[in-house]
Amino acid sequence: MLVKMDDLQFNGDLFRPMKTNRMIDRLFSSEGGIMPGTNLVITGDPGVGKSTVLLDILSDLQKEGKKVLFISGEMNAIDMYGYVKRFPKFGNVPILFLGDHVDNNPQKVIENVLQEGFDVVLVDSWAEVTEVVSDGTAGYASKKKIDNWMLNLMESHNKGLNKDEKNTSFLVIQQVNKDGSFAGSNRIKHMTTGMFHIRFNKEGGRYMHYSKNRRGGEANKFFFSLSGHNQVLWTHTESMNSNDE
């Protein structure tokens, strides 16, 4: 069926950015912030601080009044306690430790929790979460079926099909192949509003940038430091053409 955009109407809240009120907002969209109902995939070098950066963003959004959730397929409560000692601001973020539910139908656990309705959900990581779901189904579902289930679930919550009718945005940490290429189905790529990367430069500096962003945003490298107490320090930006790889 053909569609004319002039015939469609959307709630104005869909086009109001969710802001951390920090420098990183400029990266996510031309409006300055994460847009409701979008899916952002984040890849990164091992040990560069993907989880820390995204938890920092999540907790800042919570501070600004947004309802957030962290779904962890990797960490347990003891691991997270160590994080909170260094970054106390993470201590108030609601967390679903999926590993605690591997024998309790993790697929249904995720569905039930998300049905509550959230503004922003961090998934760390796609591979780990879908693996726990696979383990919880005793291997009866193929990886493709589990990926499709997760994508369909995200899409339904993008559209606000939950108790609070929130157009949920998902921040999804995704693995990359050894050559640095994207690991995952083409459907994940197609559903992704933005593809973001957290990397080291040749001098050991850490930065975040995007290779795809349908919502605009500042096309620079956003450098950060993990040396600050209780928050990631966004320090400066550099052009993507700068020779620091």
Side-chain angles (χ1 to χ4, degrees):
M1 180 180 294
L2 300 180
V3 173
K4 293 181 180 179
M5 297 310 297
D6 286 345
D7 296 334
L8 301 181
Q9 291 185 340
F10 295 97
N11 188 317
D13 289 342
L14 268 173
F15 306 98
R16 295 187 180 97
M18 296 180 284
K19 297 177 177 285
T20 66
N21 287 317
R22 299 181 67 197
M23 185 175 79
I24 193 60
D25 287 340
R26 306 194 323 247
L27 181 69
F28 292 123
S29 70
S30 55
E31 290 86 353
I34 296 171
M35 303 304 291
T38 58
N39 300 313
L40 309 181
V41 169
I42 300 91
T43 71
D45 299 330
V48 74
K50 298 183 292 297
S51 299
T52 304
V53 166
L54 295 171
L55 278 166
D56 188 74
I57 291 167
L58 200 68
S59 59
D60 283 342
L61 290 168
Q62 183 185 44
K63 182 180 177 182
E64 296 301 319
K66 299 303 177 185
K67 190 176 178 182
V68 303
L69 172 68
F70 175 35
I71 300 178
S72 177
E74 297 188 359
M75 284 193 285
N76 57 35
I78 296 174
D79 295 330
M80 192 63 195
Y81 187 79
Y83 256 106
V84 172
K85 286 184 69 175
R86 184 175 175 189
F87 296 92
K89 66 190 289 188
F90 299 170
N92 199 41
V93 172
I95 306 169
L96 173 59
F97 291 111
L98 203 56
D100 293 344
H101 303 278
V102 69
D103 297 322
N104 189 32
N105 198 338
Q107 187 171 353
K108 286 296 183 185
V109 170
I110 294 173
E111 291 174 349
N112 291 339
V113 170
L114 287 181
Q115 189 56 35
E116 183 179 325
F118 295 90
D119 292 300
V120 184
V121 174
L122 169 59
V123 178
D124 185 10
S125 62
W126 180 279
E128 294 292 340
V129 167
T130 54
E131 184 175 336
V132 173
V133 171
S134 177
D135 290 344
T137 58
Y140 296 138
S142 68
K143 183 180 185 307
K144 182 177 180 180
K145 286 184 178 179
I146 292 172
D147 282 348
N148 283 335
W149 161 77
M150 188 72 175
L151 289 165
N152 291 337
L153 187 65
M154 289 167 56
E155 186 173 32
S156 70
H157 288 280
N158 289 157
K159 295 176 179 178
L161 301 179
N162 49 62
K163 185 183 71 174
D164 286 351
E165 299 183 349
K166 289 183 177 294
N167 297 104
T168 307
S169 293
F170 289 87
L171 311 179
V172 181
I173 295 178
Q174 175 65 294
Q175 295 177 336
V176 294
N177 296 317
K178 290 183 179 179
D179 62 359
S181 61
F182 180 82
S185 73
N186 285 330
R187 189 178 168 208
I188 298 174
K189 295 180 185 178
H190 296 156
M191 278 185 59
T192 299
T193 304
M195 183 75 68
F196 294 80
H197 313 277
I198 304 178
R199 291 176 172 155
F200 291 108
N201 67 2
K202 64 182 181 181
E203 297 172 345
R206 305 167 192 253
Y207 66 92
M208 187 171 178
H209 73 101
Y210 68 76
S211 59
K212 164 190 173 182
N213 192 351
R214 293 174 179 157
R215 296 304 182 95
E218 192 173 310
N220 286 322
K221 301 173 183 177
F222 281 67
F223 280 80
F224 64 92
S225 169
L226 300 181
S227 62
H229 177 69
N230 200 33
Q231 68 175 359
V232 172
L233 301 177
W234 297 99
T235 58
H236 66 285
T237 64
E238 290 183 10
S239 167
M240 284 299 297
N241 296 323
S242 61
N243 185 22
D244 66 351
E245 295 296 331

